[in-house]
C-alpha cells in the first residue's frame, strides 16, 4: 500500500469520464488499497480513482451512516440513481461541500437527500444500497468524479462565480498535486 498524490482541479483526468473497470485482479485490489490509504491520510470521506490520476470508475468511502451500510467500502463501475434535488438555494452553513481535488475550498451545493447506488466490490461481486442525507451526498460527490465532474461544476451562479475566482487565485496548473501526510492539510485536520 502507498499514499498517492492527489491531483488538483485543472488536471485533465478530473475533467473527463473515467473508463469502466474490466479486470478484477491483484492489480485492481492494490490500487484500491492505495486509495484507502490515501483517503485516510487526507482525512477524506471519499476518494475517486481520477483524484489520484487513474481514469477508472472506482471510488472508496468512509462514512458512518444510519442506512445499514458498512461505513467503509469501495464501489467499482457504479450506477447511481438520485432522488429529486430541491430547487431551494443551498444553505451555506448546512450544505457546504469540500473536495480533496479543490483543496482548502468549501462551497454550498444542493444535492438529492436520497440515492440508490449499485456496482461491484474489489472482487467483482455485486454491491447495492440506498443512502440518505450526508451519506447520499458523499455518494453523489464521488460518483460525479467518475463522470468528469467536480462539485464546483454544479454550484449555482452565485457560488459558482465565487468558486471560480477562488480557484483562479490559487493559480494551480494542470499538473498540480498535494501529498496527504506530507503537505500541510488544506482542510486543517
Amino acid at each position: 500500500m502507498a499514499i498517492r498524490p492527489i491531483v488538483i482541479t485543472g488536471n485533465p483526468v478530473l475533467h473527463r469520464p473515467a473508463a469502466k473497470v474490466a479486470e478484477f485482479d491483484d492489480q485492481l485490489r492494490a490500487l484500491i488499497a492505495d486509495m484507502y490509504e490515501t483517503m485516510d491520510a487526507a482525512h477524506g470521506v471519499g476518494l475517486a480513482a481520477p483524484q489520484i490520476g487513474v481514469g477508472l470508475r472506482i471510488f472508496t468511502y468512509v462514512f458512518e451512516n444510519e442506512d445499514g451500510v458498512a461505513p467503509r467500502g469501495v464501489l467499482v463501475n457504479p450506477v447511481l440513481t438520485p432522488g429529486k434535488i430541491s430547487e431551494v438555494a443551498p444553505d451555506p452553513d448546512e450544505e457546504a461541500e469540500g473536495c480533496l481535488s479543490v483543496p482548502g475550498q468549501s462551497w454550498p451545493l444542493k444535492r438529492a437527500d436520497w440515492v440508490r447506488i449499485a456496482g461491484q466490490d474489489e472482487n467483482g461481486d455485486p454491491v447495492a444500497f440506498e443512502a440518505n442525507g450526508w451519506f447520499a451526498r458523499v455518494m453523489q460527490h464521488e460518483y460525479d468524479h467518475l463522470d468528469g465532474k467536480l462539485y464546483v461544476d454544479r454550484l449555482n451562479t452565485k457560488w459558482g462565480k465565487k468558486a471560480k475566482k477562488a480557484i483562479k487565485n490559487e493559480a494551480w496548473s494542470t499538473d498540480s498535486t498535494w501529498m496527504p501526510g506530507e503537505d500541510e492539510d488544506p482542510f486543517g485536520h
Side-chain angles (χ1 to χ4, degrees):
M1 292 191 317
I3 297 172
R4 298 200 190 187
I6 295 176
V7 299
I8 295 176
T9 185
N11 187 302
V13 73
L14 292 172
H15 303 284
R16 65 178 172 246
K20 190 172 182 179
V21 171
E23 296 290 325
F24 290 82
D25 55 14
D26 289 342
Q27 186 175 357
L28 175 68
R29 285 182 280 283
L31 169 63
I32 291 168
D34 288 355
M35 290 175 65
Y36 278 126
E37 190 166 351
T38 303
M39 177 181 68
D40 293 344
H43 305 286
V45 295
L47 183 72
Q51 292 182 274
I52 58 169
V54 179
L56 291 174
R57 297 188 73 78
I58 308 165
F59 70 80
T60 56
Y61 67 87
V62 57
F63 195 86
E64 292 292 334
N65 62 82
E66 297 177 1
D67 296 308
V69 178
R72 185 175 180 85
V74 63
L75 283 153
V76 180
N77 300 327
V79 175
L80 182 125
T81 305
K84 185 175 180 177
I85 300 172
S86 169
E87 302 216 7
V88 174
D91 183 313
D93 296 320
E94 299 294 323
E95 296 177 300
E97 234 174 87
C99 179
L100 298 175
S101 291
V102 189
Q105 303 295 324
S106 171
W107 304 100
L109 175 64
K110 191 59 83 175
R111 295 270 194 189
D113 287 330
W114 170 90
V115 299
R116 177 180 299 119
I117 194 157
Q120 296 161 288
D121 67 12
E122 65 274 11
N123 300 311
D125 295 326
V127 175
F129 57 85
E130 294 181 3
N132 292 280
W134 270 92
F135 189 37
R137 179 179 293 270
V138 171
M139 295 297 108
Q140 291 166 86
H141 180 108
E142 299 309 325
Y143 185 82
D144 274 353
H145 280 298
L146 307 183
D147 286 341
K149 291 187 182 352
L150 298 175
Y151 85 103
V152 294
D153 299 328
R154 293 195 178 274
L155 298 175
N156 68 21
T157 303
K158 172 186 175 182
W159 296 111
K161 285 180 181 178
K162 291 180 181 200
K164 282 181 184 169
K165 183 177 180 181
I167 289 167
K168 184 178 180 183
N169 288 340
E170 292 288 349
W172 292 313
S173 69
T174 58
D175 61 352
S176 292
T177 63
W178 71 277
M179 188 65 162
E182 290 181 19
D183 294 335
E184 181 179 342
D185 186 326
F187 294 99
H189 296 110

